[in-house]
Amino acid sequence: VLGFAASRAADDGKLDEAIRLQRRAVEVEPLVGAARYNLATMLYAAGDLEAAETELRRLLEISPATPGAGGLLALVLVRQGRHDDALALIADDPYGIEGLQVRALVHFASGRTAEADAALRGLAEACSQDERYRVAEVYAYRGDLEQAFAWLESGPSGESRNPAWYKSRSPFLEPLHADPRWQAWLDAS
């Protein structure tokens, strides 16, 4: 019930309330991986990278095989500028969706253009329709707003595995916020 209320609050744009409710859900059931993962996702979207990292590390101690947890932690580490740590975290699966995205981001930030381009091509080929925003995140991080919007606009509208509130709060998409197409994309999502 708390997790549902937290998701609803996030959908309504009330991320602070969503985090409060999701923290309560974790307190009530501290061993439920989904509750902790959802809290970490909300914290990440709110820009509280330290708290998101803490929750993800706890989650990986409790349930190391939680889908997406390692990838999200790697993205948190990239945002913190901890590139070597991010690459080490995805070393076991460098060609999965999260691994390709992290490699594309880290190699670009490190000036390794050929490696960054190769990882981005791999990501573009591997991502599903529902994950096209990940490619947009990389392009936005690189400052290529045209390609970022092209990938965002080619993805699904409406409900998807990653709700619009999450994608709209992605720290990697922040370079798009000043462009008028951003609000149009939000309205369509």
Side-chain angles (χ1 to χ4, degrees):
V1 174
L2 286 168
F4 177 76
S7 294
R8 189 78 163 150
D11 288 342
D12 291 341
K14 301 174 185 172
L15 195 52
D16 290 339
E17 180 181 344
I19 290 170
R20 182 184 60 74
L21 291 166
Q22 197 63 45
R23 280 189 195 282
R24 183 71 184 117
V26 169
E27 289 171 7
V28 171
E29 296 185 277
L31 299 179
V32 174
R36 197 169 295 276
Y37 180 81
N38 290 341
L39 175 58
T41 301
M42 291 173 184
L43 291 165
Y44 170 72
D48 191 345
L49 300 177
E50 187 175 310
E53 179 183 358
T54 298
E55 291 302 328
L56 288 164
R57 291 199 185 278
R58 285 182 189 147
L59 173 58
L60 290 170
E61 286 174 9
I62 295 167
S63 180
T66 300
L72 182 56
L73 179 55
L75 291 174
V76 167
L77 296 172
V78 170
R79 291 299 298 173
Q80 292 173 330
R82 296 167 52 194
H83 299 147
D84 291 340
D85 293 340
L87 287 175
L89 194 60
I90 56 106
D92 289 341
D93 188 20
Y95 301 105
I97 293 296
E98 288 93 356
L100 288 165
Q101 184 179 20
V102 167
R103 289 166 53 94
L105 294 164
V106 167
H107 291 320
F108 179 78
S110 302
R112 294 190 299 270
T113 307
E115 293 94 335
D117 290 348
L120 180 54
R121 277 191 304 277
L123 175 64
E125 292 169 6
C127 73
S128 69
Q129 185 71 10
D130 194 44
E131 296 168 318
R132 294 176 72 80
Y133 75 94
R134 290 180 181 275
V135 179
E137 287 179 317
V138 175
Y139 276 116
Y141 186 71
R142 294 171 81 146
D144 188 339
L145 305 189
E146 295 306 315
Q147 282 296 318
F149 277 112
W151 280 87
L152 277 181
E153 292 165 355
S154 70
S157 59
E159 285 301 310
S160 71
R161 190 168 55 103
N162 294 291
W165 72 261
Y166 172 78
K167 290 182 268 190
S168 71
R169 300 287 300 247
S170 165
F172 292 106
L173 295 177
E174 286 175 6
L176 306 180
H177 292 189
D179 190 296
R181 292 174 290 181
W182 177 250
Q183 190 58 48
W185 177 79
L186 285 179
D187 292 344
S189 292

